[in-house]
Amino acid sequence: GNSVTQMEGPVTLSEEAFLTINCTYTATGYPSLFWYVQYPGEGLQLLLKATKADDKGSNKGFEATYRKETTSFHLEKGSVQVSDSAVYFCALSDMYSGGGADGLTFGKGTHLIIQP
Amino acid sequence: ETGVTQTPRHLVMGMTNKKSLKCEQHLGHNAMYWYKQSAKKPLELMFVYSLEERVENNSVPSRFSPECPNSSHLFLHLHTLQPEDSALYLCASSQEGSGADTQYFGPGTRLTVL
């Protein structure tokens, strides 16, 4: 079956530090990969995505590259801000696992805390 | 309203109560989902509706009963719940067949079962 493994937090960094949140996956087919972010008291928001190997997703200074050879989709940002404090979820959608509309498989989430 | 909305945002109920969660999407999508988010656990997919037909039910107890009357609305009917059912319930929608796979989430309903 499909699974997503990501580093568990909390991860605490100082403002302007470099961020990496690791994510690896297992999938039976050809997954699309996603990072979602959840701010306190809110639902999940799509941060970025990549649909095939070597694609790079980017948004709001965050980047992640789809690495098929290492089955990874690590999230990076060069200089974090206090406003980036949130929970980050790595997820995959395997279009061949269920046929048609299919749920996402999520990691457990990484709580990121940015201190001023 | 835009995006995906959910009501109520917070719900406290006893184990003998019957209540319903509502989700509405304003994105013109044709697939909708219910997820359960519990502390320290990954999001769990509960139900999937595609073109208003249920296509997936991940072994969810029968005390949870979904309903999808049209492509814009999704309900989760609750009855005789247990305290361990306390969680954040998230609704999402997507456009099946677009190849984008992207799901858009509502803000969730925080459910507490006493």
Side-chain angles (χ1 to χ4, degrees):
Chain A
N2 299 334
S3 67
V4 175
T5 302
Q6 62 182 106
M7 56 194 299
E8 295 189 38
V11 173
T12 303
L13 296 173
S14 298
E15 206 166 18
E16 299 184 3
F18 184 86
L19 168 70
T20 300
I21 300 178
N22 291 336
C23 171
T24 57
Y25 67 90
T26 58
T28 55
Y30 304 93
S32 296
L33 301 174
F34 306 82
W35 278 101
Y36 282 84
V37 58
Q38 186 176 33
Y39 298 101
E42 299 184 14
L44 276 68
Q45 300 176 27
L46 178 67
L47 181 59
L48 54 84
K49 69 177 184 181
T51 58
K52 62 183 187 296
D54 299 325
D55 270 1
K56 176 185 285 187
S58 61
N59 185 28
K60 300 180 180 180
F62 290 90
E63 292 184 340
T65 301
Y66 188 144
R67 301 287 188 197
K68 187 177 179 181
E69 63 276 13
T70 54
T71 61
S72 65
F73 193 55
H74 304 322
L75 182 68
E76 295 182 339
K77 186 174 185 182
S79 176
V80 293
Q81 306 300 313
V82 172
S83 57
D84 294 326
S85 299
V87 181
Y88 291 81
F89 293 90
C90 186
L92 71 82
S93 174
D94 187 343
M95 62 182 291
Y96 289 102
S97 65
D102 201 3
L104 295 170
T105 300
F106 284 88
K108 291 186 177 181
T110 301
H111 186 194
L112 176 65
I113 300 170
I114 307 300
Q115 296 177 334
Chain B
E1 291 253 36
T2 58
V4 181
T5 58
Q6 290 186 242
T7 55
R9 293 294 307 273
H10 300 273
L11 178 63
V12 179
M13 60 187 289
M15 291 191 286
T16 59
N17 292 157
K18 290 184 179 181
K19 298 287 185 183
S20 295
L21 310 185
K22 178 182 177 182
C23 175
E24 184 173 1
Q25 60 95 1
H26 309 269
L27 301 169
H29 290 164
N30 57 14
M32 297 186 77
Y33 311 78
W34 279 117
Y35 288 86
K36 177 183 179 182
Q37 185 178 25
S38 304
K40 307 295 184 184
K41 295 176 67 175
L43 272 76
E44 301 171 62
L45 178 66
M46 300 176 72
F47 301 104
V48 180
Y49 276 83
S50 176
L51 302 174
E52 301 161 36
E53 291 188 11
R54 189 191 308 179
V55 297
E56 190 160 340
N57 173 0
N58 279 1
S59 302
V60 179
S62 60
R63 57 186 183 269
F64 295 91
S65 175
E67 178 189 2
C68 187
N70 55 61
S71 61
S72 299
H73 294 86
L74 183 66
F75 295 89
L76 187 63
H77 303 300
L78 315 172
H79 64 97
T80 60
L81 294 190
Q82 304 299 312
E84 60 264 28
D85 297 322
S86 298
L88 182 68
Y89 289 84
L90 293 166
C91 173
S93 70
S94 69
Q95 182 61 27
E96 182 188 359
S98 67
D101 303 305
T102 303
Q103 294 183 15
Y104 295 86
F105 286 79
T109 295
R110 173 68 63 185
L111 173 67
T112 303
V113 181
L114 301 177

